[in-house]
Amino acid sequence: MASFVSWNCRGIKYKNSDLKDIINNYKPVCMALQETHLKNDENIRIKYYNALSKNNDRASGGVSLLVANNSPSIPINLNTRLQAIAARIQMHSFITVCSLYLPPNQSVDQTQLNNLISQLPVTFLLLGDLNGHSPLWGSPNSNTRGTQIVQLLTDHNLCLLNTNKPTYFHQPTKTFHTIDLAICSPSILPFFDFAVGDNLHNSDHFPLVLTDNRIGRPISFLPRRYVFDAADWAKFASFAKITSDVVNNNSIDEAISQVIKIIIDAANASIPFSKGSSRRQNKPWWNNECQQAQKKQGRAWSRFRRYPTTANLIAYKKTIAEFRRIERYSIRMSWRNFVSSIKSSISSREMWYKIKKVFGTPTSNHISALCVNGHVISSLKDIANTIASTLANTSSSKNYNHEFLNHKLKTETRKLNFNSRSDFSYNSNFTYQEFQICLSKVNKSAPGPDNINYIMLQHLTIESQQNLLNLYNIIWNEHCFPTSWQEAIIIPIPKPGKDMTDPSNYRPIALTSCLCKLLEKMINCRLMYFLETNNLLHPFQSGFRRGRSTLDNILSLETDIRLAFLQRKHLIAVFFDIEKAYDRTWRYGIRKDLHDFNLRGNLPIFIQNFLKLRKFRVRLASEFSDYFIQEEGVPQGSILSVTLFIVKINNILNQLPLFVKGSLYVDDLYISCTGMNIHFIERQLQIAINNISKWSHINGFTISASKTATVHFCRKRNLHFDPDLKLNNESIPFVNDIRFLGITFDKKLSFLP
């Protein structure tokens, strides 16, 4: 059952621990906060929740909504001067939740309240601190604000969920009042149970808890995962016996299914699962001393509630002060220990993991409802299908222009024959040494559809690993690609700063089989060795090559710019943006390039089968979309995909004239020209742009003229014009600075933020 919580926190900035306690206790789908005391440039960051805030210029008042990431929602733009914020959240159907704060010393016009109600789509919950008194919700008397609220309930036929239980503690008078209200549409009144928390959580307001009593899906539960730290690997190895009979006496698809079953059955018997419990808010500084101080504070509060004397109130305040002192000390020591763990001896991966933790980088992403052609899509299944359909359309050949489609149809009539009787070394069987080297170099990776992790393969016995290697060699020699390896699970990640209601603004993260990726890794090593030893890759392509990195491209550009400055020359660089480069890579073009490289036999045939009939499903929380086909493009999440893309785009740098220099890092392309004469630079760059555009049209790539940008690097003081460069008859804009491979280059090369 889902719950909603409303709480006047009286300043959220230093009550992060109390907020986490409330979330852990009630596990709300949505939490309405009042008096957050945040400035306009501040926001709440809490794990597993998306925060919507309306703050003031001064750190006073303010309201927020925390919406669980795995509950589809859409923010509502309210045209009101009241401190109110609202969102629509998908439950059994859409429900609108509004957090409202009405300060006691501020005059509120009835028209403003009516206008707010008129903007809330039904059905809705209105939660907040309204500072109104009325006998209707248990107050002994009534005030002007209370009269206004009663009038609002009457005029709009609204229902009040409050009982007579007090929601506010006034310390100076040691009295309790009801000023926090929960108001709802009549249609949902029977479905909600109202309760008031018994702990102030270091505020002077109790949290209001509304529970939806309808049976529904669990809202905030994590999927069960293997806990590898508690695994019995000896038991796993004894159970996970891959025999030669399994490999040799079955078809390839049956053998793969048997291997998966053997490994998963062994894992289930020897590796415990996580509890799959609710998403708990972690407090790394919490220790036994904090727990005892909190219990002491709770006992003091209970004593005061039973006997509300001045002495008991003072004793309660002392326990609050003591708990804060202990908590702050624990936080300070925990932070020191954490920072001390960042040493020069740790790996860069671990270092960046710790730095992200310092900045509170979220580990999960908010699921937004989608708007397509004016229709709102809110159920998880429909959202997953819509995003999957958008991704499938992105890789469809229908996106190619008419000219390229004709060229594609004509070219693909020629069948590529990769069969060969020659015994090339790259076609030989894989050795156990290759298997072990690749398995030892794998990175931590999420499992694919078969739920098998690399760590499971690493803990197989030598005999089982050798039989698995035999299965790989059978796949290699019989030119048969397993059907289950053609599937991927897509996790959609919203693009930063983009409209999340648009299904095209999600970046796909693909999870594929680790069994397949291990074989891909061995094949990729052979393919890269062939390409490097035969000098088939352009020397200015630095992407994913041994001994090369983004620093090669960054330092090359910086060196050229500084040299131009020293020689009092101009350097003009054009930075290209290739639209959907991975998703629209021409697959036949990849195979043709491999054929032109004179690759024959097992290696190119495996790649040919690898690129066929790729399908995927999108996963949102625990919901899956239907299966969709990826028609073109390299498969996302695969080891071979980057190398195959590099093969396809490799020839683009050969289109440049002599005086134009180019550099690639996978699909990040820039060209530059240096000289004293602007007209000369303009002619050379325009020739290069025309050649690149022509090559792109022939090979199925689309370069965006609007996202392509040019920077004129120069320190000359005299006036000089920027050349007019065109791409597809559109002028390429000149900018003062550009971000290239994570580094911002400005036209004076100042590297200022």
Side-chain angles (χ1 to χ4, degrees), residues 389-401 404-405 408 583-585 629-633 700:
S389 176
T390 302
L391 294 174
N393 290 335
T394 299
S395 65
S396 172
S397 60
K398 295 177 183 178
N399 292 296
Y400 294 132
N401 60 54
F404 175 72
L405 277 176
K408 179 176 182 289
D583 297 321
R584 294 178 185 170
T585 305
I629 300 297
Q630 183 184 356
E631 184 181 350
E632 291 289 348

Side-chain angles (χ1 to χ4, degrees), residues 54 76-82 84 111-112 115-120:
K54 183 176 183 180
I76 297 174
N77 293 322
L78 298 176
N79 183 20
T80 179
R81 289 188 295 176
L82 298 176
T111 306
Q112 291 178 301
N115 178 49
L116 174 64
I117 297 298
S118 67
Q119 294 182 63
L120 299 179

Side-chain angles (χ1 to χ4, degrees), residues 233-248 255-256 258-260 262-264 266 432 435-436 439 455-473 515 518 522:
W233 290 117
K235 185 177 180 181
F236 171 81
S238 65
F239 280 18
K241 291 184 177 179
I242 303 172
T243 63
S244 58
D245 289 340
V246 170
V247 172
N248 298 322
I256 290 292
Q258 288 285 331
V259 167
I260 292 172
I262 289 169
I263 294 175
I264 293 299
Y432 186 67
F435 180 93
Q436 281 294 330
L439 189 57
I455 194 171
M456 297 178 182
L457 305 181
Q458 291 170 335
H459 284 87
L460 292 173
T461 62
I462 294 176
E463 180 184 359
S464 293
Q465 289 181 346
Q466 287 175 335
N467 285 322
L468 179 59
L469 177 61
N470 291 338
L471 178 57
Y472 284 160
N473 283 323
L515 283 170
L518 180 57
M522 292 191 289

Side-chain angles (χ1 to χ4, degrees), residues 267-319:
N268 292 341
S270 57
I271 307 173
F273 283 99
S274 61
K275 293 180 180 179
S277 57
S278 61
R279 300 173 181 265
R280 290 193 62 82
Q281 300 295 327
N282 184 33
K283 295 192 285 186
W285 64 84
W286 193 260
N287 55 29
N288 186 60
E289 196 175 358
C290 293
Q291 189 171 358
Q292 294 304 319
Q294 189 182 56
K295 287 181 178 179
K296 188 176 179 181
Q297 179 183 334
R299 288 192 295 268
W301 172 248
S302 298
R303 191 179 303 112
F304 171 75
R305 291 297 299 269
R306 291 195 303 270
Y307 311 107
T309 64
T310 302
N312 285 340
L313 179 60
I314 293 172
Y316 170 62
K317 288 184 176 181
K318 284 182 177 179
T319 60

Side-chain angles (χ1 to χ4, degrees), residues 306-559:
R306 291 195 303 270
Y307 311 107
T309 64
T310 302
N312 285 340
L313 179 60
I314 293 172
Y316 170 62
K317 288 184 176 181
K318 284 182 177 179
T319 60
I320 292 176
E322 178 67 12
F323 174 71
R324 285 178 179 170
R325 183 190 65 79
I326 292 172
E327 185 183 46
R328 288 171 181 170
Y329 178 77
S330 297
I331 291 172
R332 187 162 58 249
M333 295 307 297
S334 175
W335 170 249
R336 287 179 181 176
N337 293 334
F338 180 81
V339 172
S340 299
S341 68
I342 303 177
K343 303 176 182 178
S344 59
S345 58
I346 67 171
S347 65
S348 58
R349 177 185 292 271
E350 189 177 357
M351 180 189 71
W352 282 113
Y353 172 75
K354 288 179 178 290
I355 289 174
K356 287 180 179 179
K357 287 190 72 175
V358 169
F359 284 96
T361 305
T363 57
S364 59
N365 294 283
H366 171 58
I367 299 173
S368 171
L370 302 177
C371 293
V372 180
N373 298 326
H375 299 287
V376 177
I377 299 169
S378 57
S379 75
L380 283 178
K381 179 75 172 181
D382 292 340
I383 293 173
N385 277 329
T386 303
I387 294 176
S389 176
T390 302
L391 294 174
N393 290 335
T394 299
S395 65
S396 172
S397 60
K398 295 177 183 178
N399 292 296
Y400 294 132
N401 60 54
H402 183 70
E403 179 185 353
F404 175 72
L405 277 176
N406 291 334
H407 169 71
K408 179 176 182 289
L409 291 173
K410 182 179 178 181
T411 306
E412 289 182 1
T413 56
R414 178 194 168 196
K415 301 299 179 184
L416 301 175
N417 183 12
F418 287 110
N419 294 321
S420 174
R421 294 180 181 178
S422 302
D423 187 19
F424 298 111
S425 59
Y426 55 74
N427 288 325
S428 61
N429 283 349
F430 295 102
T431 64
Y432 186 67
Q433 183 182 10
E434 288 178 280
F435 180 93
Q436 281 294 330
I437 290 173
C438 289
L439 189 57
S440 65
K441 291 182 179 180
V442 294
N443 296 319
K444 186 177 180 181
S445 177
D450 55 19
N451 207 28
I452 292 177
N453 291 74
Y454 284 129
I455 194 171
M456 297 178 182
L457 305 181
Q458 291 170 335
H459 284 87
L460 292 173
T461 62
I462 294 176
E463 180 184 359
S464 293
Q465 289 181 346
Q466 287 175 335
N467 285 322
L468 179 59
L469 177 61
N470 291 338
L471 178 57
Y472 284 160
N473 283 323
I474 291 172
I475 295 169
W476 182 244
N477 290 309
E478 293 188 4
H479 304 160
C480 180
F481 193 79
T483 306
S484 62
W485 289 359
Q486 295 172 332
E487 178 187 346
I489 294 174
I490 300 291
I491 310 297
I493 305 296
K495 297 177 181 178
K498 300 287 187 178
D499 179 13
M500 291 196 298
T501 63
D502 185 348
S504 64
N505 288 334
Y506 287 82
R507 183 175 290 110
I509 303 298
L511 307 179
T512 56
S513 170
C514 288
L515 283 170
C516 179
K517 287 194 287 189
L518 180 57
L519 177 56
E520 286 180 56
K521 198 170 185 68
M522 292 191 289
I523 294 170
N524 191 61
C525 288
R526 291 190 178 185
L527 177 59
M528 285 302 296
Y529 179 79
F530 176 85
L531 297 174
E532 295 285 7
T533 54
N534 290 281
N535 297 318
L536 295 171
L537 296 181
H538 198 282
F540 289 106
Q541 166 64 274
S542 301
F544 293 87
R545 298 175 68 179
R546 181 172 294 181
R548 308 284 289 275
S549 70
T550 54
L551 282 177
D552 293 283
N553 304 62
I554 292 168
L555 292 177
S556 175
L557 177 58
E558 184 194 6
T559 302

